[in-house]
């Protein structure tokens, strides 16, 4: 920890811990040959690091905070400035160390950008707030000075540029060097080692001028008289370096020539001969790396040692600290990738039980660390070890897979490891669920998962003690529930007991041995205990199961295998949903989105996916609605998914009818008060109506409907329209029991009392109009949608159902429908029958019914051997005409107040005329001729009594009626219009 804090978190130091960790991973990585001693020792060292971090990071007594784990640089702060630990509290110091580590990583990214493109690199520094905006020359200088492996060519070109900002950066860059007590050639070597001196003379001049100024300012001796003397001598040293070490120069400069060339450069005086001689010998012996390789670390030399000594004078003292959870997590994160690769490779190549055990312990330690914000690392670990289970080989047959799994310890250990991690650290798994699900499904195909592994009852009861929206902390490491010792003990037991010899001595078959291992995996608890998992984990697990059920990543050898696998996936989705029913609305919307995505797969087939899905969805729906915590959002979500499934394959409503009917009956009889939404009622009653298509479910379906409608407390304004649709669906069935149909019609007519109750006690908000219009595809839809009286709309819809029933093939049904309609009108007199509503009722219900019956009667008259049907339809039409007359007389005052009364009255007379003169072909005249005159007499007499039909100036209603009566029933003229004699 101290190494990491002092070096890896320091932007200007090497990352010592990271380099050591990566070196161990590299040394431990096995090759093609058997494991060597150095590989084993390196691996053991790596595992010790993992154990140490895991034990400290998972310490129950640690009071360090658990997050946040990602660190963001939110404001500019000089990355080279260090704060003392003594000046900060522990939490602030930890945060400061983590920010410095983040700055260091950003600096390395900026380095890579700079080495490719100078501008992009400097822009990235601004973006990450590593330099101020606008940039300060000192920020750029510090970036050049302390960032390792920068492109030295680009640095030299930048520092030698004549731009004013570049010159300021150059001066600040020179200020970062400490030359006190250092001779000139050592200082120059240190300076030029930081970048590559450009070849252009003007750039060289500017760079050396900056060096000369800095070197002169820090000299305590009186050797140099001015900065110019330093500058000239530096140029001379570079020329000497080229002369002495360039192979193209044949005649080398001598020491005397060098001293002679530098006469009188020190303010007109000579520099000390001994000083110049020492410089000559140093350059001649050790060349200055003026044109060194770009981007490489500087090797250790006397100048480098001197620089480190000077740097140590200004750095903070070595920080001593205790282990911190957040820093420990960051420590492992920097070596996580190589560690997992080394761990997996070592497990693959090792063949000793002891090495297996060390690998598994290392794996568990990684999992313990990864639960603290390293979900990607855990996913990578699972993906890496899943391949050792031998369960994910797409080219191996079931027999080959089973043989490999049964006769090798390594696949068994890997399998046990994968599912142990899923049980103990499932809350940190994200994408890794896909690998776990793939392994699980392969075990299912190998018949290694018993039916008892999936326990719906336990899943349903797992959430009973959990408050809504609260996740139980039972498996959360924050609450000190560490399951790792138990997991390790299972592996120890596995290694010591589950040997082939022991199993054979106990008389266990190969299949029994495999089952015993799978039992240790505790697969069922992964799903039944999913209520403790965070939402992200539940979403990833559900997504993996739903996608697998749709066939993504799966390869099925037979249709039976596909059906079993799909059913198993949906069983697991059901267990998850039941275990998390207390937070259903928080995750199921995403599950529904996954279903929509699945439906768009290019090769997706809804068979058997939709069939298995709808059965499981109804299990969830029943559990959801049986709970006192059911809410509207959850109800809508589950029914949206149910509707999606049967729309993908409409035949499943027939193939799964018995199961669907059972569930719907339980909901509508046991928990109707928990159905709260339009979508819920519409879906449930629609599927109930489908049950009537099948003999085996008809009785249960119709009894459910009768029970529901008999209890008026369960019929509401929300579900009334859907009840009508469902009732008509049963009544319209062919060959359905007459007594059931008559009972339904009676219940429908009695339901008018509910309409009256709602009319008296509720307002009619316009927001409800859409529900009625969506409830059916009848012609009443548009009128209802545009009308303002909601209760009246429902009455019209009821009348529409009776009108349709009046066309049934059985005469008893038709006649009873008309009688029920008449009863409904009689009961509904208290409703708001305004003139407009009355006209609508006649147009949409009564007139339409009379027209349809007349058409049917005439149609039967044209058929051979259909006299009985024709006479039956004639009798029904007679009842309809009487209904027309009775309702007309009942609401005469309201109808007469309508501006369209004249047109309406003509419609009544026209229908009387049509019935009177109906042509029945060979069957002669209709018997309606006997009833029509009496009906007309009653209506006209009533109109006269109410003074609606009277002779008056400006009103031609009397005259028009007189003419129509002469045409329809001349025998009535003398009686009804005596003045015309």
């Amino acid at each position: 920890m101290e190494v990491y804090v002092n070096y890896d978190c320091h932007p200007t130091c090497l990352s010592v811990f990271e380099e050591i960790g990566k070196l161990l991973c590299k040394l431990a990585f096995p090759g093609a040959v058997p494991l060597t001693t150095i590989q084993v020792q390196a691996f053991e060292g790596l595992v010790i690091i993992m154990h140490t971090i895991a034990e400290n990071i998972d310490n129950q007594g640690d009071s360090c905070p658990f997050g946040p784990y990602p660190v963001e640089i939110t404001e500019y702060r000089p990355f080279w400035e260090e704060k003392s630990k003594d000046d900060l509290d522990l939490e602030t110091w930890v945060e400061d160390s983590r920010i410095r580590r983040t700055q260091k990583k950003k600096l390395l990214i900026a380095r890579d950008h700079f080495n490719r493109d100078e501008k992009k690199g400097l822009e990235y520094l601004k973006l990450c707030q590593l330099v101020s905006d606008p940039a300060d020359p000192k920020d750029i200088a510090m970036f050049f000075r302390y960032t390792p492996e920068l492109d030295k060519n680009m640095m030299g070109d930048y520092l030698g540029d004549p731009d004013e900002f570049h010159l300021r950066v150059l001066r600040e860059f020179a200020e970062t060097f400490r030359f006190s007590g250092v001779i000139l050639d050592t200082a120059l070597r240190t300076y030029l080692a930081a970048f590559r001196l450009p070849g252009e003379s003007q750039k060289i001049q500017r760079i050396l001028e900056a060096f000369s100024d800095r070197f002169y300012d820090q000299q305590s001796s009186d050797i140099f008289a001015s900065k110019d003397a330093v500058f000239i001598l530096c140029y001379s040293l570079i020329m000497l370096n080229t002369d002495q070490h360039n192979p193209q120069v044949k005649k080398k400069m001598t020491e005397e020539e060098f001293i002679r060339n530098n006469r009188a450069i020190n303010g007109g005086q000579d520099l000390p001969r001994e000083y110049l001689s020492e410089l000559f010998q140093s350059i001649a012996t050790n060349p200055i790396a003026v044109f060194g390789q770009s981007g490489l670390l500087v090797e250790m030399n006397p100048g480098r040692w001197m620089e480190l000594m000077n740097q140590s004078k200004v750095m903070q003292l070595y920080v001593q600290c205790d282990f911190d959870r957040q820093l420990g997590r960051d420590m492992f994160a920097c070596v996580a990738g190589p560690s997992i690769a080394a761990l997996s490779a070592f497990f693959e190549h090792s063949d000793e039980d002891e090495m297996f055990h060390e690998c598994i312990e290392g794996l568990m330690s990684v999992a313990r660390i990864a639960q603290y914000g390293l979900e990607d690392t855990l996913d990578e670990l699972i993906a890496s070890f899943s391949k050792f289970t031998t369960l994910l080989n797409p080219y191996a047959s079931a027999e080959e897979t089973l043989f490999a799994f049964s006769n090798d310890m390594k696949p068994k250990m890997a399998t046990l490891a994968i599912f142990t991690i899923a049980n103990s650290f499932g809350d940190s798994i994200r994408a890794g669920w896909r690998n776990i699900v793939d392994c699980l499904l392969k075990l299912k195909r190998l018949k290694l998962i018993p039916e008892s592994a999936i326990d719906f009852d336990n899943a349903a009861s797992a959430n009973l003690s959990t408050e809504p929206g609260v996740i139980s902390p039972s498996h959360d490491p924050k609450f000190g529930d560490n399951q790792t010792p138990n997991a390790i003990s299972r592996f120890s037991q596995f290694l010591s007991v589950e040997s082939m010899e022991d199993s054979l001595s106990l008389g266990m078959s190969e299949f029994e041995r495999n089952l015993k291992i799978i039992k240790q995996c505790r697969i069922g608890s992964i799903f039944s205990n999913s209520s403790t998992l965070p939402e992200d984990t539940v979403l990833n697990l559900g997504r993996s199961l739903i996608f697998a059920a749709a066939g993504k990543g799966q390869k099925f050898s037979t249709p039976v295998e596909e059906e079993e696998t799909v059913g198993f996936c949906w069983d697991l989705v059901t267990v998850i949903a039941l275990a998390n029913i207390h937070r259903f609305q928080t995750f199921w919307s995403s599950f529904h989105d996954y279903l929509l995505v699945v439906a768009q797969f290019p090769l997706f087939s809804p068979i058997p996916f939709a069939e298995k899905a709808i059965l499981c969805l109804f299990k969830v729906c029943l559990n959801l609605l049986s709970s006192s915590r059911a809410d509207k959002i959850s109800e809508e979500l589950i029914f949206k998914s149910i509707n999606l499934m049967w729309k993908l394959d409409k035949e499943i409503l027939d193939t799964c009818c018995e199961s669907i009917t059972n569930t719907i009956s339980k909901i509508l009889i046991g928990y109707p008060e928990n159905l709260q939404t339009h979508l819920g009622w519409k879906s449930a009653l629609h599927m109930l109506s489908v049950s009537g298509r099948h003999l085996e479910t008809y009785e249960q379906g119709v009894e459910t409907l009768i029970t529901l409608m008999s209890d008026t407390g369960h019929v509401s304004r929300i579900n009334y329209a859907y009840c009508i649709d469902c009732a008509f669906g049963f009544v319209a069935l062919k060959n359905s029991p007459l007594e059931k149909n008559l009972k339904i019609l009676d219940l429908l007519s009695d339901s008018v009392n509910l309409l009256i109750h709602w009319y008296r006690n509720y307002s009619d908000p316009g927001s409800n109009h859409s529900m009625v219009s969506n409830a059916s595809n009848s012609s009443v839809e548009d009128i209802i949608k545009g009308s303002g009286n909601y209760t009246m709309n429902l009455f019209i819809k009821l009348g529409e159902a009776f009108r349709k029933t009046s066309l049934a093939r059985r005469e008893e049904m038709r006649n009873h429908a008309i009688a029920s309609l008449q009863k409904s009108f009689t009961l509904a007199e208290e409703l708001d029958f305004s003139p407009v509503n009355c006209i609508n009722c006649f147009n949409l219900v009564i007139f339409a019914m009379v027209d349809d019956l007349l058409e049917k009667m005439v149609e039967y008259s044209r058929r051979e051997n259909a006299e009985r049907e024709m006479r039956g339809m004639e009798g029904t039409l007679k009842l309809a005409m009487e209904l027309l007359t009775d309702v007309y007389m009942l609401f005469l005052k309201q109808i007469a107040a309508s501006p369209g009364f004249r047109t309406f009255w003509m419609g009544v007379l026209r229908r009387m005329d049509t019935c009177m003169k109906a042509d029945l072909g060979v069957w002669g005249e209709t018997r309606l001729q006997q009833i029509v005159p009496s009906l007309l007499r009653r209506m006209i007499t009533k109109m006269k009594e109410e003074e609606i039909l009277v002779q008056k100036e400006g009103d031609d209603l009397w005259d028009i009626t007189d003419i129509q009566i002469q045409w329809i029933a001349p025998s009535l003229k003398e009686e009804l219009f005596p003045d015309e004699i």
Side-chain angles (χ1 to χ4, degrees), residues 526-537:
I526 298 174
F527 303 94
S528 59
N529 294 333
S530 61
S531 60
T532 63
L533 299 177
E535 183 179 341
D536 286 350
T537 301

Side-chain angles (χ1 to χ4, degrees), residues 427-441:
D427 54 349
S428 301
I429 303 174
R430 298 294 183 266
W433 284 117
R434 177 178 177 182
N435 301 97
I436 295 173
V437 168
D438 288 343
C439 292
L440 181 60
L441 296 183

Side-chain angles (χ1 to χ4, degrees), residues 122 227 232:
L122 299 180
K227 297 178 181 178
I232 295 172

